Amino acid sequence: MTLKQLVERTGWEPLVLTEEDREVTGGFSGDLLSWVMGHGEAGQVWVTVQTHLNVVAVAVLREFSCLIIANDAEISEEMLNRAKEEQLNVLCCHETAFEACRKLIEAGL
Amino acid sequence: MKMEFQVARDDYLSAGKVSSQIKQTLKQIGYPNELLRRMAVACYEAEINMIIHSYGGTIRLLIEEDGRIQMIFSDTGPGIADLEQAMTPGFSTASEKAREFGFGAGMGLPNIQRVSDHFDILTSHEGTTLTLGFELDP
């Protein structure tokens, strides 16, 4: 599935979308950065409620296809600017991380 | 080829910058993606460790003529009190502040050892030196 299809199927708001055609290969959920760094895989979407700058660094280094900020977690301008600089795709959603994952699976991920 | 970077204590907002720079450099040279990913994980974890736990230090990247990569992380203290515990997955001495930033999973050193081909660590109260090696065909 492409990122564009994922956005259409979930209805989630894209905050940064630089690569609509990027292939999404799966998903990972977690808030402990080293855990995510150690277990995440390139191409996955990452569902988290962490919203500080280090999240962008981990997502870029791990080559996640998209960052999904769950549960209306507050996102700073600073973080969005860093994501734009790094061309990291970011979506946000109202659902909890659990519900967001369920929606991703229902969407075909 | 040699490159050197400084890392400052408690500089959480810069965390990952050195790792990104190193990854970018190696990508431009043409290293395979699999190696870039392993390198990035190791470098990021070690960079974070220096920010969270040390008084600051230096990261040196050495690229040998045959393509092997060495990364050396040297800090100026205070050293790792119990190395065996520090190598145990889940064990962490990260501060409350570090945990607020999402660090402190206790997976740093175990992650680094898992993704690197050579792993050597020397520590005393005067500082810690972590030397990592990466092979093109491990």
Side-chain angles (χ1 to χ4, degrees), chain A residues 36 44 49 60 64-65 91 96 100 102:
Chain A
V36 175
Q44 293 176 330
V49 293
V60 171
F64 287 127
S65 52
L91 309 182
T96 63
R102 176 152 69 186

Side-chain angles (χ1 to χ4, degrees), chain A residues 42-61:
Chain A
Q44 293 176 330
V45 295
W46 175 18
V47 180
T48 183
V49 293
Q50 291 274 15
T51 59
H52 51 77
L53 287 179
N54 295 299
V55 169
V56 177
V58 170
V60 171
L61 284 167

Side-chain angles (χ1 to χ4, degrees), chain A residues 31-35 37-39 42 50 52-55 57-58 60-63 78 82 86, chain B residues 12-13 15-17 19-20 23 37 40-41 44-45 100-105 107-108 111 114:
Chain A
D31 300 317
L32 281 171
L33 303 190
S34 284
W35 195 270
M37 201 70 182
H39 295 85
Q50 291 274 15
H52 51 77
L53 287 179
N54 295 299
V55 169
V58 170
V60 171
L61 284 167
R62 213 68 198 82
E63 299 175 12
E78 206 179 9
R82 180 72 67 90
E86 300 280 357
Chain B
Y12 294 95
L13 297 183
K17 279 191 179 164
S19 308
S20 290
K23 188 179 178 192
R37 287 181 192 135
V41 169
Y44 180 78
E45 295 286 7
E100 278 172 26
F101 281 90
F103 302 120
M107 294 300 291
N111 275 350
R114 185 170 51 84

Side-chain angles (χ1 to χ4, degrees), chain A residues 7 13 17 24 27 33 41 56 58 63 65 83 91 98 104:
Chain A
V7 171
E13 184 187 354
L17 197 54
V24 178
L33 303 190
E41 299 284 346
V56 177
V58 170
E63 299 175 12
S65 52
L91 309 182
F98 175 80
L104 287 169

Side-chain angles (χ1 to χ4, degrees), chain B residues 49-62:
Chain B
N49 277 348
M50 288 173 86
I51 291 170
I52 295 177
H53 299 290
S54 86
Y55 301 143
T58 307
I59 299 177
R60 287 200 299 279
L61 172 72
L62 306 172

